[in-house]
Amino acid sequence: MTIMFHTADRPASLHDRDELTAFLNRSIARPDILTDPDYQALSNTDRITYDRSRIVYTSGGIVIATPHVSESTRLLQQAFAVNVGRNSGHAGLMLNGDSTVGKTETAKTLMRTVHTQYKRMYPDYADHGQLPVVYISVPASSTGKLLMQTFADFLHLPTTGRESMGDIRRRVVQTLIAAGTQLIIVDELQNLVGRSVGLGESVDVLKNLHNEIPATFVYAGFGLTNGNLLSGPKGQQLRGRFTIFDMERLNLSDTADRKTWAGLIVAFEKKLPLRHQEIGSLRAHRDYLYLRTSGSIGSLAKLLTLATVELITNPKYTQECLTEAVMDTVKLDQFAEENYKLQLAARGKTKKGLQYPMNGLAAA
């Protein structure tokens, strides 16, 4: 077994202003696909380096224009347009969905989109201390002060234990305004949900930030519409300002979703840096892939990523081709694995005895 330790080739963090800027300014190029003779001609050191570059790209460099990404980008553009002429009550976007549907990956794409356009318009923005994009992950059991401390830490603002929440908030607001921040992502918003202590205060802090900072906010989390975050007077204010985008799993009983699922599989396959994968062959496994992932785009990406890494790193595979046998070596999240077993049991079959295509999927 080869352990892939992180080095300088790992993407930068999202939780620090300098690290986030480095992440947004860097793209991971897809390595060239070498023929067998060229691959075998590499020295052992060069082969390890080449394989690692393929793994780094597979795990962090693949970007797919999923339906979730396309729709959230459209909704974000609308929010930006609405906010141009406002000086309070800015509009925003809320990404709501299960933990495996790809909310954070979608948020990364939104940040890249805004950053790229801003950089194109203001290429020397960094020289003037501008910070167009900010990313915050809400701490567990967050209070208003802890939330503002998280903002301050991201911005490198030193704080003391004697400072009040209001004092920290004022400095954060001043810094974000001076930095010309355009987009603020607040991830893991469910950490505010379902807690009476600190919840109202934290919501008030966020609402005040909407009013004071001329930036567009995007919230991301799961179960946001089921808890008390959007209930009561405070929740109604958030509902009135934010467009809620429910990021749902694909349903293959729907004709449009079947077509989308097949297209996603081909799109992922084209990006994978496998040396022997015949593009288009993975489509024959679309029913199996749906059964394994329960229609979750995030789980699909994880399954294909881990199976690709297995092919690259395990010497027993002489051909780098995705098969069900290879993909069966991958363990996904508990929901996907349990649902897979239930689906097999419902058909009265083991994995070995399952026949494809499943009912209703052949027309995809």
Side-chain angles (χ1 to χ4, degrees):
M1 178 179 68
T2 302
I3 301 295
M4 288 292 162
F5 298 105
H6 70 82
T7 63
D9 59 1
R10 179 184 180 180
S13 169
L14 304 177
H15 305 281
D16 174 277
R17 61 176 298 167
D18 295 337
E19 290 280 297
L20 177 62
T21 299
F23 168 76
L24 295 175
N25 276 317
R26 179 194 179 202
S27 61
I28 304 176
R30 183 174 186 264
D32 294 333
I33 306 303
L34 300 182
T35 63
D36 283 349
D38 288 341
Y39 184 73
Q40 296 301 326
L42 294 175
S43 68
N44 185 58
T45 299
D46 288 342
R47 188 178 301 120
I48 292 173
T49 300
Y50 172 68
D51 286 345
R52 182 180 177 88
S53 71
R54 292 196 289 160
I55 292 171
V56 170
Y57 168 76
T58 301
S59 65
I62 295 178
V63 179
I64 301 293
T66 68
H68 291 158
V69 167
S70 299
E71 179 62 9
S72 61
T73 301
R74 185 184 72 85
L75 294 173
L76 183 64
Q77 290 173 333
Q78 289 183 348
F80 264 85
V82 169
N83 290 337
V84 167
R86 289 186 176 179
N87 59 6
S88 66
H90 297 92
L93 174 62
M94 194 175 292
L95 306 179
N96 181 50
D98 293 340
S99 58
T100 61
V101 296
K103 297 182 298 298
T104 299
E105 291 302 315
T106 298
K108 289 180 185 179
T109 302
L110 295 180
M111 289 192 289
R112 284 190 181 279
T113 299
V114 172
H115 179 266
T116 298
Q117 293 193 26
Y118 191 87
K119 185 178 180 180
R120 187 181 302 128
M121 186 171 294
Y122 307 104
D124 59 345
Y125 76 92
D127 297 335
H128 300 281
Q130 299 296 284
L131 183 67
V133 177
V134 166
Y135 175 89
I136 299 296
S137 182
V138 178
S141 306
S142 183
T143 63
K145 184 173 183 179
L146 180 56
L147 187 60
M148 294 317 304
Q149 180 68 57
T150 305
F151 271 93
D153 291 343
F154 176 89
L155 295 168
H156 299 175
L157 297 178
T159 60
T160 66
R162 297 187 301 273
E163 283 187 288
S164 68
M165 183 269 291
D167 292 334
I168 299 175
R169 182 183 60 80
R170 279 189 289 273
R171 291 202 291 130
V172 166
V173 168
Q174 291 170 359
T175 301
L176 292 174
I177 291 176
T181 300
Q182 304 291 320
L183 173 66
I184 298 176
I185 302 286
V186 182
D187 204 355
E188 304 295 343
L189 193 66
Q190 73 277 355
N191 286 336
L192 295 178
V193 178
R195 300 190 59 87
S196 58
V197 178
L199 176 58
E201 180 187 58
S202 298
V203 172
D204 280 340
V205 168
L206 288 174
K207 181 170 62 70
N208 290 335
L209 290 180
H210 305 160
N211 290 332
E212 298 176 57
I213 302 172
T216 299
F217 280 70
V218 172
Y219 293 154
F222 64 83
L224 302 183
T225 58
N226 299 327
N228 57 8
L229 177 68
L230 299 180
S231 63
K234 299 180 187 296
Q236 289 300 320
Q237 287 182 317
L238 287 179
R239 282 183 179 272
R241 296 181 181 184
F242 280 76
T243 297
I244 301 175
F245 177 37
D246 290 314
M247 297 175 61
E248 299 176 343
R249 300 169 184 271
L250 295 178
N251 181 0
L252 294 198
S253 64
D254 180 85
T255 302
D257 279 3
R258 288 203 304 272
K259 183 177 181 180
T260 297
W261 184 252
L264 282 172
I265 291 171
V266 174
F268 272 113
E269 186 180 29
K270 288 179 178 178
K271 297 280 188 176
L272 298 175
L274 293 172
R275 296 189 298 111
H276 305 110
Q277 183 71 22
E278 182 181 347
I279 302 303
S281 62
L282 196 59
R283 185 167 180 151
H285 303 289
R286 64 187 183 275
D287 306 342
Y288 164 82
L289 291 170
Y290 183 82
L291 204 64
R292 283 296 313 274
T293 63
S294 302
S296 166
I297 298 174
S299 294
L300 174 66
K302 181 178 181 180
L303 175 59
L304 297 180
T305 294
L306 292 178
T308 296
V309 172
E310 175 71 7
L311 286 171
I312 294 174
T313 58
N314 194 329
K316 80 174 186 179
Y317 298 110
T318 58
Q319 293 290 302
E320 295 180 1
C321 297
L322 288 169
T323 65
E324 289 183 21
V326 174
M327 291 185 283
D328 272 343
T329 66
V330 174
K331 293 295 184 182
L332 296 175
D333 57 277
Q334 185 177 4
F335 175 85
E337 292 295 341
E338 289 183 351
N339 192 61
Y340 182 41
K341 292 178 182 178
L342 289 173
Q343 292 296 323
L344 294 179
R347 291 165 175 78
K349 299 176 181 294
T350 62
K351 168 65 181 71
K352 185 176 180 181
L354 187 61
Q355 299 298 312
Y356 298 115
M358 290 156 46
N359 291 338
L361 302 189

